[in-house]
Amino acid sequence: MLRDLKTRLAGAAAVTVVTGAGISADSGIPTFRGNDGLWNKYRPEELASPEAFARDPRLVWTWYNWRRELIAAKQPNPAHHALVELERRVNTFRIITQNVDGFHSLAGSQSVSEIHGNIWKVRCTQCGRVAANRDVPIAVPPCCAVCRGLLRPHIVWFGESLDPGELRQSHDALRDCEVLLIIGTSGVVYPAASFGAVAKARGAFVAELNRDPTPQSDLVDAAIHGAAKDLVPELLD
Ligand code: BJW
Ligand code: ZN
């Protein structure tokens, strides 16, 4: 199956990649679901929701400070680096990532849509200004340099809409690709969970590379199980 995928990739002019927390797991960043997942220890509705932030911004920022510290101490792994090389080899290429760690760009990938936002960006709840902020820890509660409004993480929480520009770019990439790789995502969070079906309906060859089977495994053309840090570099051999 891996050999078939390698042949398809070698002949493809347009490749799109969807990534999730599993690709950064090999860098030491916890995933969300499963035994070691963040949602096993913390309740998303208490920490990663607009209601939680409205109730207790200090608590939410304290949790994000912990995540910032964790991510700042880690590095992209061979799977992120292999995608940088894949981008060099392919004419039209885009990564659509659900991850907020910024590791694809840090590794050197150029065309990246961060559909769930970025932990190193903040957004003013009053004037809407988005700014980069790499403070570890960030002063709690942080306030906007322009209007002194309360800042929140520039991250998409459950029930919130994704950025329309990022979504449009993602849909263009799903429509145009010949091969779609879905790497390290449990495939349960929408709209990303529908991206495989969207690309497949447009005629793309869809492959899932994941440690465990997912609800998407039966829908894709190739489901390959293993660690992203091993599987993704192997695609380039
Ligand atoms: C390895 C590995 C290794 C491990 N190598 N693999 C349609 C139907 C039903 C519901 C909805 C729908 N449309 C929208 C919704 C509502 C909701 C949703 O999807 N709910 C479902 C859960 C039921 N979606 C939304 O609210 C989204 N907004 C939206 O659609 O707005 C419009 C709308 C709203 C409401 C209704 C209808 C329309 C927004 C979603 C925002 C998600 N935000 C989070 C939290 C961010 C907080 C933060 O980071 O600080 O984003 S949730 C969390 O899950 C995070 C992730 O990006 C996201 C996906 O998780 P991911 O990446 O898949 O990680 P895991 O942990 O789940 O899986 C890791 C995988 O890796 C596993 O499979 C492992 O096996 C594997 N793995 N190690 C390879 N080494
Ligand atoms: Zn402001």
Side-chain angles (χ1 to χ4, degrees):
M1 224 180 312
L2 193 65
R3 193 182 303 162
D4 185 22
L5 175 57
K6 283 165 81 164
T7 311
R8 300 252 180 194
L9 268 182
V15 174
T16 297
V17 182
V18 174
T19 64
I23 195 168
S24 294
D26 291 325
S27 295
I29 310 287
T31 60
F32 292 92
R33 296 166 188 84
N35 286 344
D36 313 324
L38 288 172
W39 295 160
N40 224 16
K41 271 196 232 144
Y42 307 96
R43 291 161 64 87
E45 60 273 23
E46 280 169 15
L47 291 165
S49 74
E51 295 76 22
F53 190 71
R55 203 166 42 236
D56 195 345
R58 277 177 185 276
L59 174 72
V60 173
W61 266 119
T62 302
W63 188 63
Y64 276 98
N65 263 337
W66 171 71
R67 303 235 343 253
R68 280 175 162 236
E69 196 175 338
L70 190 85
I71 293 168
K74 310 288 184 194
Q75 292 295 325
N77 66 59
H80 298 99
H81 292 300
L83 293 179
V84 178
E85 175 57 25
L86 186 59
E87 182 169 23
R88 285 200 196 103
R89 296 185 190 183
V90 175
N91 255 348
T92 307
F93 182 88
R94 176 154 293 273
I95 294 173
I96 305 169
T97 188
Q98 299 169 84
N99 298 344
V100 300
D101 54 32
F103 277 7
H104 288 299
S105 301
L106 187 60
S109 290
Q110 301 294 312
S111 300
V112 183
S113 296
E114 293 178 320
I115 60 169
H116 290 168
N118 186 303
I119 200 162
W120 302 115
K121 289 181 184 169
V122 291
R123 186 167 81 243
C124 178
T125 56
Q126 212 159 280
C127 71
R129 179 173 175 264
V130 175
N133 182 308
R134 294 200 73 92
D135 296 350
V136 180
I138 197 167
V140 173
C143 67
C144 175
V146 175
C147 76
R148 314 308 295 167
L150 175 65
L151 297 175
R152 59 163 279 175
H154 187 49
I155 286 180
V156 183
W157 289 324
F158 276 119
E160 295 187 316
S161 299
L162 282 69
D163 178 77
E166 298 280 2
L167 259 187
R168 200 172 321 110
Q169 241 175 2
S170 302
H171 275 281
D172 288 351
L174 295 167
R175 182 195 59 209
D176 295 340
C177 67
E178 292 159 43
V179 175
L180 178 73
L181 302 177
I182 304 174
I183 305 171
T185 173
S186 57
V188 298
V189 175
Y190 287 84
S194 66
F195 289 173
V198 171
K200 200 166 158 58
R202 306 290 306 206
F205 182 87
V206 180
E208 176 187 69
L209 281 66
N210 208 64
R211 192 190 61 191
D212 308 302
T214 76
Q216 313 294 321
S217 301
D218 290 338
L219 311 173
V220 299
D221 298 298
I224 301 167
H225 301 301
K229 74 165 180 3
D230 302 325
L231 292 179
V232 188
E234 244 187 283
L235 294 176
L236 301 178
D237 286 347

